[in-house]
Structures are given as structure tokens and as C-alpha cells.
Amino acid sequence: MELRISSLLLLLLAAAAFFSAIPAEAHNITRMLAKHPSFSTFNHYLTVTHLAGEINRRRTITVCAVDNGAMNDLLAKHYSLPTIKNILSLHIFADYFGAKKLHQITKGSTTTSSLFQATGEAAGTSGYVNITDMKGGKVGFSPVDSDSDGPMATFVKSLEELPYDIAVLQISNTLTSPEAEAPAAAPTDLNVTSLMAKQGCQSFSDMIVSQGVESTFSDSVQGGLTVFCPSDEALDDFRPRYKNLTADGKASLLLYHGVPVYNSLGMLRSSNGLVNTLATEGAKKFDFTVQNDGDDVKLKTKVVTATITGTLIDEDPLAVFKIDEVLLPKELFKAAPPAPAPKPATKSKSKSKGAAADDEDEDADSPGPASEDIAAADEDNSSSGERARGGVGAAALCFTLVLGFLAYIC
């Protein structure tokens, strides 16, 4: 009997280990706010403006929600959806402020950046918000560029908190900012190259214009378009290679950075795999692979791997993301060489060299890294979601074994 109990304890410990290894589910702002019906309008507009996905992908964030009454006051001003997105972006801070932290602000006041500032939509310091711990236990929120004569927005209560990850707070009224409330153009009215030029992709924008493919990008917006623009720094290193391409090669390279389908960052994370581009034509595949790497989204060609480093705009039907490398298609550039094959084992020709020679031979015989091509590596790398499902399956199997053992000893 004691043996059975000991075995049962071991199985239970194994099950606990499996369950603890399962990754915790990331926060989901939509589900959090769904528990509070009086915030349904705010929740709805986080979804339609795609801000919900941006909140969910970030760590260490604060959402200042307003109730349906405050949202009705905002909607009564008949702002366009892009402008509403800018206003709501001002209510999302790129830092964690739980209820306790709000009342422990050093020197009683601090300034934090909002998503309105972080996405590059705001000019100067317009996207920053002052947080002030006032007398009487109140905490006030005021955008740096606010010129409103109305009441300052104040902290009402904490709705949901996951310490140091996400805090969802209720504030008394919407934050006002001339910059955020300014008329914003709809994505279909935007000049894609001008947008890129203003937000750190000037070189890539200039290449598109000079090569005469600007119309291909602009004409694709209406039906859905995702653009991955290399940063100016990435293009500085690439210029010599770009100059060596033919005119057709240059055009294909630039079009290779556009995907004729709208993809938000969340959509890219959930639909890893091969994607066609604006350069795809018949036998000329000009495709690349989208793949998660932790919280990062990577774009893999057979030649280079780029990482998404920022969002210029993400509003259906247009998304423009900044990347840290120029995407190089295998149709124009040589594929990256595979890892070197391991050296063949060698035997010592003489045993008279003693133990030192034996040690050297052992080092020479040790295998090097396996030679794998890029495609095989792509197939072997699982996304974080797949790893999570694998962990759940293993834990479920272990739990089933425990139940079976319990039935046996009983």
C-alpha cells in the first residue's frame, strides 16, 4: 500500500510539473472589458480601430477606459473612425499604472507616453499624458497639449489588474487633445509613400517613387495592402547592392515588400506561413515566410530574416510595418549557404603521444552543427501557440494516467 501511495505522489508531482510548464495565457482586453457591460461601447471601438490587438500584443500597458456615457459624449462630436482611433490611443499608456502605483507617484506627478505617441501619429510631445496625484486622494490625467476648459479626467476605480502586465482603469471622462482630435485621413485617402517618408522610411519611399512603382502600391490599398518598409538605417547598408540591380530587378525588389492583403500584426501572428507579394507573377514566386519568434514577428526569405520593429499604420484596409532588414528574394539574390557539414572523424596515427593526443582526437571527433537548409528550419520551428497546445496535450495525458492509477488502487 505504501508503494502505491509513493507512486501516486510521484505521478501527481509529474502532473503538477507539466501543468506549471504550460505558458500562461496572455491578457485579452476584449474579454476583460466584456465583464463590465457599462464599458461595451469603449470595448467595441477598441476592436473596430484594431487597438485591441495592439493592446493584447504588448506587455506592461495601462488602459484608461471610459463608460458608455462618456463614449456617447465623444461620439456626439461625429469624429471619423481614424480620429476616434487617435483619441482612444491617447487613453492607452506604454507603462503599468495599477491603482496602488497611481497613489505612489514620485513627487506627485509623472509624464507617460501613450500609443498615440508611440505609433508616430502625434507631433512633438502631443502623445504624452501627465498623471498627477492630487489632494484628497484624487489622481488626474491630462494630455500635455490639452487646452480644454472642461473638467480634468480623474481616476474612478480599477477594473482589472495583472500586476506589472496590464492595468485597466476607469477614468471619469475622455482625454482631450487638439492633435488627437484633428481630422485624420482614411487609409484609402493616404499617400502611402508620404506616410513612410514621415515615419523613418524616407529612403524606401524615395526608391518607390524614383522607380515608378508608386501607383502599384496606391492602387492596391482599396483591396487591402500590407507593406513592410525597411528603416533608413537598413537601406544605408544595402544601397551598393541595390545599384547593381537592373531596372526590372529594382522594381521587383520594391514590390516584394508589399503584400496584396490587409494583415494586422495580430493576423500575422495567427497565420504564419508563406505569403505572396506584389512582385509575385506566374512562375516568379517572390514569396516569403511569416513566422513568430516569441513576441516578435519575423519575415524569412531564403536569403535573409527581417523583424517587424514598429507600426506606421494599422487600419483596415492598410497596414504599414517598419522592419530592420531589406527583404531579399531568392529570385534576385543567392540563397544563404547552409551550415558547414561536420568534419569526418579522424583517428590518431600514433599512440605514443600519450593522453594529450587522445584528448585532441576526442575534440576532433566531436560532431559539429547539423547541416540544414532554411526551408527545413522553417518547418521545424513551431509557433508559441503550437508549443502551448503541445504542453496542454502532455499535461492532459499525465492527468489521465493519474486518474487511471487512482482507479487501480481503489
Side-chain angles (χ1 to χ4, degrees):
M1 183 64 180
E2 290 181 358
L3 179 61
R4 288 184 176 182
I5 293 174
S6 298
S7 299
L8 176 60
L9 288 173
L10 287 173
L11 283 172
L12 289 173
L13 287 172
F18 271 116
F19 278 112
S20 64
I22 299 173
E25 185 180 0
H27 57 251
N28 186 306
I29 186 62
T30 304
R31 293 177 186 171
M32 287 177 166
L33 288 174
K35 302 174 187 176
H36 308 275
S38 59
F39 295 86
S40 59
T41 306
F42 183 83
N43 197 10
H44 168 74
Y45 277 93
L46 287 184
T47 299
V48 298
T49 58
H50 303 291
L51 286 171
E54 185 70 13
I55 293 168
N56 292 341
R57 83 171 183 85
R58 288 174 174 262
R59 297 295 177 268
T60 312
I61 198 162
T62 299
V63 179
C64 293
V66 293
D67 62 19
N68 293 344
M71 280 299 297
N72 288 339
D73 292 339
L74 174 65
L75 297 176
K77 297 178 181 178
H78 304 291
Y79 291 123
S80 67
L81 188 61
T83 298
I84 290 175
K85 179 178 181 178
N86 286 344
I87 295 171
L88 295 187
S89 296
L90 200 61
H91 292 68
I92 304 164
F93 307 151
D95 198 355
Y96 176 83
F97 289 95
K100 183 178 180 181
K101 184 177 178 179
L102 287 176
H103 294 286
Q104 295 177 341
I105 295 174
T106 305
K107 297 181 180 180
S109 181
T110 189
T111 300
T112 188
S113 65
S114 69
L115 285 196
F116 183 49
Q117 188 277 331
T119 54
E121 294 290 332
T125 59
S126 297
Y128 288 89
V129 177
N130 292 323
I131 305 176
T132 306
D133 188 8
M134 303 183 295
K135 294 180 179 180
K138 287 188 176 182
V139 177
F141 301 83
S142 177
V144 169
D145 68 336
S146 178
D147 59 1
S148 173
D149 295 329
M152 176 186 286
T154 56
F155 171 68
V156 177
K157 63 182 177 182
S158 173
L159 300 177
E160 301 278 339
E161 290 187 23
L162 296 175
Y164 310 108
D165 186 3
I166 182 172
V168 185
L169 314 175
Q170 180 185 1
I171 60 175
S172 59
N173 47 273
T174 56
L175 303 177
T176 59
S177 158
E179 185 76 15
E181 294 168 0
T188 52
D189 298 330
L190 287 173
N191 184 306
V192 181
T193 51
S194 295
L195 173 70
M196 290 188 285
K198 292 177 181 177
Q199 300 194 43
C201 293
Q202 177 76 57
S203 297
F204 187 66
S205 173
D206 290 345
M207 287 178 178
I208 290 175
V209 174
S210 63
Q211 204 55 42
V213 294
E214 182 179 11
S215 60
T216 304
F217 282 91
S218 59
D219 292 346
S220 301
V221 174
Q222 190 68 44
L225 178 66
T226 305
V227 181
F228 302 98
C229 63
S231 66
D232 289 340
E233 294 79 5
L235 272 170
D236 284 344
D237 296 333
F238 177 70
R239 285 184 186 282
R241 301 179 72 181
Y242 179 75
K243 291 178 180 179
N244 289 332
L245 293 173
T246 64
D248 287 343
K250 290 176 180 177
S252 295
L253 174 75
L254 298 172
L255 294 174
Y256 187 58
H257 289 74
V259 175
V261 177
Y262 165 74
N263 287 286
S264 67
L265 200 59
M267 293 166 69
L268 291 172
R269 280 202 174 92
S270 63
S271 57
N272 286 186
L274 282 174
V275 295
N276 289 331
T277 66
L278 293 176
T280 301
E281 184 179 357
K284 299 178 180 179
K285 292 184 178 180
F286 280 100
D287 54 20
F288 58 80
T289 300
V290 177
Q291 185 173 326
N292 291 350
D293 183 7
D295 287 336
D296 293 330
V297 175
K298 303 216 176 255
L299 313 177
K300 294 189 172 186
T301 77
K302 295 292 184 181
V303 186
V304 70
T305 297
T307 303
I308 294 178
T309 58
T311 302
L312 274 61
I313 186 172
D314 182 359
E315 186 172 333
D316 195 356
L318 174 65
V320 183
F321 302 105
K322 186 184 291 186
I323 55 177
D324 62 355
E325 295 279 352
V326 179
L327 297 176
L328 305 180
K330 60 181 176 57
E331 287 83 357
L332 297 176
F333 300 90
K334 290 183 180 180
K343 295 180 180 179
T346 57
K347 295 182 179 180
S348 176
K349 294 182 179 180
S350 172
K351 295 182 180 180
S352 63
K353 295 181 180 180
D358 291 340
D359 290 342
E360 290 176 0
D361 287 340
E362 287 178 6
D363 290 341
D365 292 345
S366 61
S371 174
E372 298 176 302
D373 62 21
I374 297 176
D378 289 348
E379 292 173 358
D380 291 341
N381 289 331
S382 299
S383 68
S384 57
E386 289 170 336
R387 290 195 295 271
R389 287 195 295 272
V392 173
L397 175 61
C398 186
F399 189 65
T400 302
L401 290 173
V402 171
L403 291 178
F405 191 82
L406 282 172
Y408 170 72
I409 64 173
C410 294

